[in-house]
Amino acid sequence: KNEVEQSPQNLTAQEGEFITINCSYSVGISALHWLQQHPGGGIVSLFMLSSGKKKHGRLIATINIQEKHSSLHITASHPRDSAVYICAVVRGSQGNLIFGKGTKLSVKP
Amino acid sequence: DTAVSQTPKYLVTQMGNDKSIKCEQNLGHDTMYWYKQDSKKFLKIMFSYNNKELIINETVPNRFSPKSPDKAHLNLHINSLELGDSAVYFCASSQGAGGGYGYTFGSGTRLTVV
């Protein structure tokens, strides 16, 4: 079993819907990252979390350290949000990122 | 001005050849990484350098050798290429080594071994 599990693996939504992607991990971590990989392949860092909640535009990320769980929410989804969203946790002091398998989001107009 | 640039973007080569991928960052970050994304789109750390010093070396075949001539560059040399090396290789950088900072990724190098 992967140390970082994401759900769902695939998600199709209608434009305007509220979207939630979940990430659970089984190891001790110092931080958790949410990344976005565009259809063209480029990877963008969205959030780095060690506690609580962060918001950037229509994106909100939360983490519960005790439950080893994080969620990424997208409000008022748009077709341009279509991408693969990847959860990655930092284990150890050397910044070793352990990745989930990603959630492929497709937002239909 | 690209923050983390990798060259080449595409690389097609025959089995047994030796090839290099170059990475440069102009962000002033002191830590750089190589990640491999396999055919199932799963990302995995390969190497990490902090201030030109190797700090992470995951179980990667000896045929892969990273080289960091200075803080701004981390190159990846691959000897005796095999079919299984076909993947997308991403370079990234961050301000510190502890993972408590954001990461900036290059656009990736798609390596195809035939």
Side-chain angles (χ1 to χ4, degrees):
Chain A
K1 192 181 171 196
N2 203 30
E3 291 165 301
V4 181
E5 295 284 348
Q6 285 185 237
S7 63
Q9 284 189 355
N10 293 284
L11 181 55
T12 300
Q14 286 299 126
E15 184 173 354
E17 282 184 5
F18 180 84
I19 285 159
T20 296
I21 298 170
N22 294 300
C23 175
S24 295
Y25 53 92
S26 56
V27 294
I29 68 169
S30 55
L32 181 144
H33 292 256
W34 280 102
L35 310 169
Q36 180 193 53
Q37 186 166 26
H38 293 287
I43 298 174
V44 174
S45 181
L46 297 175
F47 293 104
M48 191 278 293
L49 293 161
S50 52
S51 65
K53 177 179 171 177
K54 286 190 177 178
K55 184 174 189 289
H56 186 252
R58 294 179 297 104
L59 272 56
I60 303 165
T62 64
I63 187 168
N64 185 319
I65 297 290
Q66 285 75 28
E67 293 186 7
K68 294 188 174 170
H69 182 268
S70 175
S71 293
L72 177 68
H73 305 286
I74 305 175
T75 60
S77 59
H78 190 276
R80 66 174 174 266
D81 297 326
S82 298
V84 175
Y85 292 84
I86 302 168
C87 172
V89 301
V90 182
R91 194 170 74 172
S93 59
Q94 295 167 338
N96 187 4
L97 275 178
I98 302 170
F99 297 87
K101 293 190 176 178
T103 295
K104 186 173 181 181
L105 171 65
S106 178
V107 182
K108 307 290 185 192
Chain B
D1 206 20
T2 307
V4 179
S5 59
Q6 290 180 233
T7 53
K9 194 168 172 62
Y10 300 97
L11 184 52
V12 181
T13 187
Q14 290 191 324
M15 270 195 326
N17 283 352
D18 302 339
K19 289 292 177 188
S20 290
I21 306 171
K22 295 187 176 182
C23 179
E24 176 182 2
Q25 54 97 2
N26 62 6
L27 298 166
H29 289 168
D30 55 14
T31 307
M32 295 184 73
Y33 310 83
W34 278 111
Y35 295 97
K36 179 180 178 180
Q37 187 171 45
D38 62 23
S39 57
K40 293 182 180 176
K41 304 289 187 187
F42 187 54
L43 278 158
K44 199 166 182 186
I45 181 80
M46 298 175 72
F47 301 104
S48 171
Y49 270 75
N50 178 254
N51 281 320
K52 301 195 299 174
E53 206 173 306
L54 181 66
I55 57 170
I56 294 175
N57 183 355
E58 289 296 299
T59 15
V60 176
N62 290 341
R63 298 181 295 102
F64 290 78
S65 52
K67 292 239 176 359
S68 182
D70 56 57
K71 232 169 63 157
H73 295 84
L74 180 60
N75 303 323
L76 184 65
H77 189 76
I78 316 169
N79 289 329
S80 305
L81 277 154
E82 299 177 358
L83 292 176
D85 298 331
S86 295
V88 181
Y89 293 85
F90 285 96
C91 176
S93 70
S94 67
Q95 181 56 45
Y101 304 89
Y103 291 77
T104 303
F105 287 81
S107 57
T109 295
R110 183 175 293 276
L111 171 65
T112 304
V113 183
V114 298

